[in-house]
Amino acid sequence: MTIIHVAVLGYGTVGQGVVESIHSHQKELQRLLGAEIVVDAILVKDPLKVRDIPPGIVWTTNFDDILELGHIDVVLEAIVGCEPAFSYLKKAIQHGCHVVTANKVMFAHHGNELQQLADENEVHVGYEASVAGGIPIIRSLSELLRVNQVHRLEGILNGTSNYILTEMRENGHSFEEVLADAQKKGYAEADPTADVEGDDAFYKLMILSDLLYGEQPNWTEVQREGISKVDREQMELAEEFGYRFRHVASIEPSSRGLQGKVMPIVVPNQHPFYHVDGVDNAVNVEASLVGSLMFQGPGAGRLPTASAMVEDLVQVLRPSLQRKGSKTIQLDEVEGGATKLLKQWLLFVPQNPSLPTPFITSGKLIKHKSGQKWKAILFLGDDKTIYEWKTRLPMVRLYEIRGAKEWKELNSDQPKVPCLNSLAF
Ligand SMILES: NC(=O)c1ccc[n+]([C@@H]2O[C@H](COP(=O)([O-])OP(=O)(O)OC[C@H]3O[C@@H](n4cnc5c(N)ncnc54)[C@H](OP(=O)(O)O)[C@@H]3O)[C@@H](O)[C@H]2O)c1
């Protein structure tokens, strides 16, 4: 039987899962590919670490050793950060290897370059595992929605943030308590910044943007905010209005270009993310023909991530299954101008008489509730006004409410307070 030779870069959580899955699913792989898949070599960083590597696989700390084997067909990469991952994959492609990666930081920076190089060298790149772990979102978007235009994509793309928000709500713990517990259980890194401050979700969003629209928004214009400023009382007040906090990355085309955001928002019961709890990821797309589609599942972990990489392994080896690159949509054909649209917001103003009273110059106040630390206000306003406040009034917390009914339905019995010039109501 033909043999397909693979090398695995990185032998941590994901790398070990990949080697194990190739061995445990050899029969299925042989049936699909008509060939035996053999892991020949593993690349690691620390030569002194004790490792349990299956017999017959050589390990090295020098990537050139792998290329010098001369017969590697596919390189599966699961190391951390842009470099040396990018350089290794470039070299692998130049040596005629297909490559598969789980590395979102590297792929958000260099995905297009790798794809182009792969085209030039007539090999293929798989990156399913870099976004939403085990959910086959890349394949679904690139192969199953080729004719549809995606008007908007929203995702819970970081399981750690979603787990922390869920635990805070369900068990009444503070952000710091849940984070410490998540670190103990191994759900959060020792340095949790990338997860809780939104960087991890941002990189995944940029990869999805490339896939859907053939380009990324200007990184400096993507609003990026994590969950570390969400507190228990804000959650309780939001719940009293019927909303739950979610950390959501979203991208949509508008006449002003691609609009990307990564931030905590609140969602009502009818929003598809309301019930997505724990470490799960979810992606919701609004597409021109099919309407709204929701994907949900494990966004990380050894076997879910390995599953995505092994499915990619099959994909890169079977050209007839290959996707044909991303589609590009004409941004100026898309309806847009979102800045002037009135959106629904949940504001938290500190109950601190020594702070200056914020002024509202446009929009509509719908209703409010008071807690000990915060006054929570439902408000209708446009993006521009809201972001002016964000800059001028850092003490006010502002969260967009997505997917709520129109407030005229919701509050038909409530008098609306027209544009106030102060929140001192
Ligand atoms: N963990 C997940 O659930 C998950 C999900 C989706 C995507 N990812 C992505 O998958 C990648 C791997 O994640 P992981 O959780 O498996 O990380 P990990 O457990 O920290 O393992 C990283 C592995 O990469 C090796 N490595 C790091 N730098 C290297 C270098 N310069 N040269 C050679 N080897 C190097 C390490 O070698 P040593 O063993 O010698 O330290 C280790 O074996 C990351 O890019 C991550 O973002 C992870």
Side-chain angles (χ1 to χ4, degrees):
M1 183 183 280
T2 316
I3 295 182
I4 291 167
H5 297 275
V6 308
V8 177
L9 314 189
Y11 198 59
T13 307
V14 178
Q16 289 177 37
V18 168
V19 174
E20 179 187 330
S21 307
I22 289 175
H23 288 152
S24 65
H25 286 67
Q26 188 62 227
K27 240 197 278 160
E28 288 74 12
L29 289 166
Q30 286 184 12
R31 179 174 49 76
L32 281 164
L33 297 166
E36 185 186 350
I37 305 291
V38 172
V39 181
D40 285 289
I42 289 172
L43 180 82
V44 289
K45 186 177 179 184
D46 179 355
L48 301 176
K49 220 184 248 181
V50 178
R51 305 171 195 276
D52 189 12
I53 292 183
I57 304 179
V58 295
W59 67 268
T60 175
T61 55
N62 181 353
F63 183 60
D64 289 336
D65 291 347
I66 290 181
L67 294 180
E68 280 164 17
L69 289 175
H71 59 245
I72 296 296
D73 300 297
V74 186
V75 170
L76 298 146
E77 184 259 322
I79 62 179
V80 183
C82 266
E83 284 297 350
F86 176 51
S87 303
Y88 291 167
L89 293 195
K90 257 199 320 196
K91 270 195 195 177
I93 290 172
Q94 284 157 344
H95 275 72
C97 303
H98 302 294
V99 300
V100 170
T101 181
N103 186 336
K104 72 220 70 157
V105 179
M106 184 279 298
F107 208 75
H109 283 88
H110 300 297
N112 279 339
E113 214 173 323
L114 283 182
Q115 304 247 36
Q116 211 177 323
L117 193 63
D119 288 346
E120 285 161 22
N121 286 272
E122 298 181 357
V123 294
H124 301 300
V125 179
Y127 58 100
E128 184 70 73
S130 66
V131 180
I135 305 176
I137 188 67
I138 301 292
R139 190 149 314 128
S140 304
L141 293 178
S142 52
E143 285 172 11
L144 307 180
L145 290 181
R146 297 181 66 88
V147 177
N148 276 263
Q149 286 201 333
V150 175
H151 294 313
R152 178 190 182 91
L153 175 147
E154 294 181 312
I156 295 178
L157 299 178
N158 184 273
T160 307
S161 290
N162 203 47
Y163 171 80
I164 292 173
L165 292 176
T166 305
E167 287 291 301
M168 285 171 70
R169 190 190 76 243
E170 288 183 348
N171 300 321
H173 297 141
S174 69
F175 170 81
E176 291 76 15
E177 285 165 343
V178 181
L179 176 59
D181 187 51
Q183 284 170 319
K184 235 189 272 165
K185 289 180 174 151
Y187 295 159
E189 301 286 332
D191 177 2
T193 319
D195 287 327
V196 301
E197 296 304 346
D199 294 355
D200 176 81
F202 168 81
Y203 290 127
K204 294 167 178 170
L205 187 69
M206 293 304 100
I207 294 171
L208 289 170
S209 176
D210 264 335
L211 172 70
L212 289 176
Y213 305 117
E215 62 177 294
Q216 300 180 1
N218 182 336
W219 285 19
T220 57
E221 285 169 14
V222 177
Q223 295 155 33
R224 207 185 308 185
E225 189 182 315
I227 57 164
S228 56
K229 294 195 178 117
V230 176
D231 70 21
R232 274 291 311 147
E233 188 181 287
Q234 290 171 16
M235 276 194 166
E236 277 159 21
L237 289 165
E239 289 251 12
E240 284 182 36
F241 286 123
Y243 302 133
R244 283 184 180 169
F245 273 91
R246 296 288 176 221
H247 189 244
V248 171
S250 58
I251 186 95
E252 61 187 305
S254 82
S255 52
R256 291 170 298 120
L258 286 173
Q259 304 295 304
K261 290 181 194 169
V262 179
M263 52 183 43
I265 61 166
V266 292
V267 295
N269 189 18
Q270 64 267 28
H271 191 283
F273 292 167
Y274 186 83
H275 296 286
V276 180
D277 276 335
V279 291
D280 261 7
N281 279 197
V283 177
N284 186 251
V285 289
E286 299 288 335
S288 52
L289 295 174
V290 69
S292 176
L293 280 180
M294 164 88 165
F295 303 79
Q296 180 177 351
R302 194 167 57 97
L303 290 182
T305 312
S307 154
M309 292 190 83
V310 173
E311 294 290 352
D312 265 353
L313 171 67
V314 173
Q315 191 81 7
V316 295
L317 288 165
R318 291 184 68 183
S320 61
L321 295 178
Q322 257 303 312
R323 40 191 180 272
K324 306 251 177 4
S326 55
K327 50 190 171 188
T328 310
I329 73 164
Q330 290 296 102
L331 295 182
D332 53 7
E333 285 175 9
V334 177
E335 302 223 343
T339 31
K340 281 285 153 209
L341 284 180
L342 289 184
K343 291 183 183 166
Q344 300 173 2
W345 300 87
L346 179 57
L347 267 74
F348 292 94
V349 183
Q351 300 268 30
N352 182 346
S354 65
L355 287 174
T357 304
F359 281 86
I360 293 178
T361 51
S362 64
K364 259 186 186 152
L365 187 142
I366 307 295
K367 53 183 175 176
H368 63 92
K369 282 181 191 295
S370 278
Q372 288 196 327
K373 274 165 60 190
W374 300 101
K375 182 180 279 187
I377 299 152
L378 293 187
F379 183 77
L380 206 55
D382 63 38
D383 267 350
K384 195 161 169 277
T385 313
I386 296 292
Y387 287 104
E388 272 170 20
W389 290 0
K390 275 205 161 170
T391 338
R392 284 189 13 236
L393 305 165
M395 78 292 266
V396 173
R397 306 293 308 142
L398 290 144
Y399 302 103
E400 191 180 331
I401 304 168
R402 295 231 190 111
K405 285 186 222 155
E406 290 290 318
W407 275 340
K408 56 178 166 10
E409 277 172 58
L410 204 67
N411 301 293
S412 47
D413 52 335
Q414 302 262 341
K416 290 206 179 49
V417 185
C419 175
L420 301 183
N421 57 8
S422 141
L423 283 183
F425 45 87

